[in-house]
Amino acid sequence: MANWLKYVIAFVSAFALMLAVRTLALSIHTINGTGLSPIFQDGDRLLINRCSYGLRIAGNGLLPYSRLMRQPVKKGDIVAFTAPCDSITGICIARCTAVPGDTISTLDGPLLVPGLKTCAKTDYYWLESINRLNPADSRHLGFIPESSIIGKVMTVIYNRNDLRLP
């Protein structure tokens, strides 16, 4: 085997492995806005665990949506999701405040009220940002289906606004 071919095979293998990890296991997203401040700031780069609730198979019309090794979203988890409507594009970040079977009341903003009225359906979650004016949460979008949830936010890697060139 030619000496240069070994390097090409190593490079292609490393690229394929990186692409598989990026697509299936972990991804990095940037916060644009102040929906979860002071926890997350505008410009934060977040590491998202795409496997935290099971391996997501979206299907994109070819296959039905499913999750392998499915785990439920828990209250208090900060999750990344895509908005179920076309008016908001990109990845949204919010905290899960109600899971299927929880009861909520939305008189003066969403409030968990045990035993009042069950609104959550199976596989739908109530996700809220801290900033009440943020349009990318359940107060404006309604219940978020599990199929829209990408994964759990693990940590802040860095803030792009804090990077200063010498």
Side-chain angles (χ1 to χ4, degrees):
M1 183 184 315
N3 199 23
W4 63 269
L5 191 55
K6 293 177 187 176
Y7 294 109
V8 171
I9 291 172
F11 177 76
V12 170
S13 299
F15 183 75
L17 180 62
M18 181 213 47
L19 189 61
V21 167
R22 168 92 166 83
T23 304
L24 299 174
L26 301 171
S27 61
I28 298 171
H29 296 286
T30 304
I31 297 265
N32 294 319
T34 58
L36 283 172
S37 65
I39 298 172
F40 300 120
Q41 302 297 321
D42 185 35
D44 282 352
R45 300 280 287 178
L46 303 178
L47 183 63
I48 310 292
N49 182 352
R50 297 175 76 93
C51 296
S52 55
Y53 304 117
L55 183 61
R56 182 176 182 244
I57 301 172
N60 296 331
L62 299 175
L63 298 169
Y65 164 80
S66 64
R67 281 195 194 261
L68 299 175
M69 299 178 291
R70 183 175 178 228
Q71 298 292 320
V73 178
K74 297 179 187 88
K75 284 185 199 178
D77 285 356
I78 297 177
V79 300
F81 67 99
T82 56
C85 63
D86 294 335
S87 62
I88 299 173
T89 59
I91 303 296
C92 304
I93 307 291
R95 182 183 308 272
C96 179
T97 55
V99 296
D102 281 349
T103 55
I104 63 167
S105 171
T106 57
L107 263 26
D108 294 326
L111 174 69
L112 291 175
V113 181
L116 180 65
K117 184 172 93 172
T118 301
C119 295
K121 298 182 278 186
T122 304
D123 298 335
Y124 282 80
Y125 297 87
W126 189 267
L127 305 175
E128 288 185 20
S129 60
I130 295 171
N131 183 347
R132 291 193 173 271
L133 301 177
N134 185 25
D137 68 3
S138 291
R139 289 177 288 232
H140 303 277
L141 300 172
F143 287 101
I144 307 297
E146 181 188 296
S147 59
S148 295
I149 296 175
I150 295 169
K152 184 177 181 178
V153 174
M154 293 176 59
T155 188
V156 175
I157 298 175
Y158 66 89
N159 186 301
R160 71 172 180 214
N161 297 334
D162 288 345
L163 297 178
R164 307 275 189 260
L165 295 174

